[in-house]
Amino acid sequence: MQKIYVIEDDENIRELVKVALEGYQYEVEPFETAEAALARMEEQVPDLAIFDLMLPGMDGLSAIRIIRGKKELKAIPVIVLTAKDKEYDKVVGLDGGADDYITKPFGVLELAARVRSLLRRAEKGSTTDAGQGQQYGKLRIDQAVREVYMDGNKIVLTYKEYELLLYLIENRMRVVPREELLDKLWDYNADIETRTLDIHIRTLRQKLGEEGGGYIRTVRSVGYRFVAP
């Protein structure tokens, strides 16, 4: 049974998420603070974590950055659960290391779909043949350790950003439609906010820098294409 940690200071929401996900046969462990969740992760690494951004003590973003900085924890898929609905806050969450976000109030079906999607992608990624590092212009991607380098400098990507980049590279001979990316990488048909993809593309380009970000071309009204020297 896959284990999910839910870090949320609102008891009602915490219990709602717990009961909802247990209904989908997940094992859920709730925490009121980030400190308690991080301490528990030292004992047992979860399959996925759901973080509220506004927490007493350490905030969710700080906790996520700690997770991404630890070798044994950095691969944990993370969903940000927040009452904020401004695009800036979503960008900050994703740029801080989250793989996806859900804005309160949210539906149980949407929550379960996003959890299922991230877990499925993580499981697929862990069983993918490693292969050797591949070079595209100044960009090098090493699937054996899921690491990305731009002009020799290591780029720290979230799980979802890495999957997005890899999918564009694998399909670099064509323009990948937006709908295909949403379907393949998010894998759900709920009332998805299509801005989710735009935000991921934006943060991915920023992390790759001016030259590397230019490898990801926008084809207006269609989608995106990876083009490297």
Side-chain angles (χ1 to χ4, degrees), residues 88-156:
Y88 172 78
D89 297 312
K90 297 172 184 176
V91 171
V92 168
L94 294 173
D95 197 44
D99 297 293
D100 204 353
Y101 64 85
I102 300 179
T103 303
K104 303 173 188 175
F106 57 89
V108 170
L109 291 177
E110 179 188 12
L111 172 65
R114 296 200 184 202
V115 166
R116 186 165 55 248
S117 172
L118 269 182
L119 287 172
R120 185 179 295 121
R121 298 294 301 179
E123 186 175 292
K124 178 181 178 182
S126 66
T127 57
T128 300
D129 291 335
Q132 296 187 355
Q134 300 170 354
Q135 191 82 28
Y136 306 93
K138 293 184 179 180
L139 177 70
R140 183 168 69 85
I141 183 167
D142 190 343
Q143 290 182 251
V145 288
R146 295 176 67 85
E147 291 183 347
V148 176
Y149 296 84
M150 186 65 198
D151 200 16
N153 298 310
K154 184 177 179 180
I155 307 297
V156 179

Side-chain angles (χ1 to χ4, degrees), residues 51 53 59-69 78 80 93 96-98:
F51 271 92
L53 285 184
D59 61 77
L61 282 178
S62 297
I64 294 170
R65 291 191 181 102
I66 289 176
I67 289 173
R68 294 307 183 217
V78 174
V80 165

Side-chain angles (χ1 to χ4, degrees), residues 178-188 192 194 197:
R178 291 171 54 85
E179 293 75 14
E180 181 179 336
L181 289 168
L182 289 168
D183 179 61
K184 296 294 184 180
L185 300 181
W186 277 263
D187 194 26
Y188 57 87
I192 173 177
T194 56
L197 174 58

Side-chain angles (χ1 to χ4, degrees), residues 6-130:
V6 177
I7 303 89
E8 164 65 62
D9 63 328
D10 187 310
E11 183 178 359
N12 292 328
I13 296 178
R14 193 167 64 241
E15 186 62 22
L16 170 64
V17 174
K18 181 177 184 295
V19 171
L21 294 180
E22 285 179 340
Y24 287 88
Q25 306 306 306
Y26 296 116
E27 182 181 356
V28 181
E29 203 166 326
F31 301 89
E32 186 175 355
T33 66
E35 290 88 343
L38 291 173
R40 179 67 173 124
M41 288 180 187
E42 297 295 331
E43 302 171 352
Q44 183 176 11
V45 178
D47 294 289
L48 181 143
I50 300 175
F51 271 92
D52 184 21
L53 285 184
M54 305 301 293
L55 294 168
M58 182 187 297
D59 61 77
L61 282 178
S62 297
I64 294 170
R65 291 191 181 102
I66 289 176
I67 289 173
R68 294 307 183 217
K70 292 191 174 185
K71 182 179 180 180
E72 64 276 15
L73 301 178
K74 67 179 182 180
I76 299 174
V78 174
I79 295 176
V80 165
L81 187 63
T82 174
K84 299 180 179 179
D85 58 1
K86 296 180 181 178
E87 182 176 315
Y88 172 78
D89 297 312
K90 297 172 184 176
V91 171
V92 168
L94 294 173
D95 197 44
D99 297 293
D100 204 353
Y101 64 85
I102 300 179
T103 303
K104 303 173 188 175
F106 57 89
V108 170
L109 291 177
E110 179 188 12
L111 172 65
R114 296 200 184 202
V115 166
R116 186 165 55 248
S117 172
L118 269 182
L119 287 172
R120 185 179 295 121
R121 298 294 301 179
E123 186 175 292
K124 178 181 178 182
S126 66
T127 57
T128 300
D129 291 335

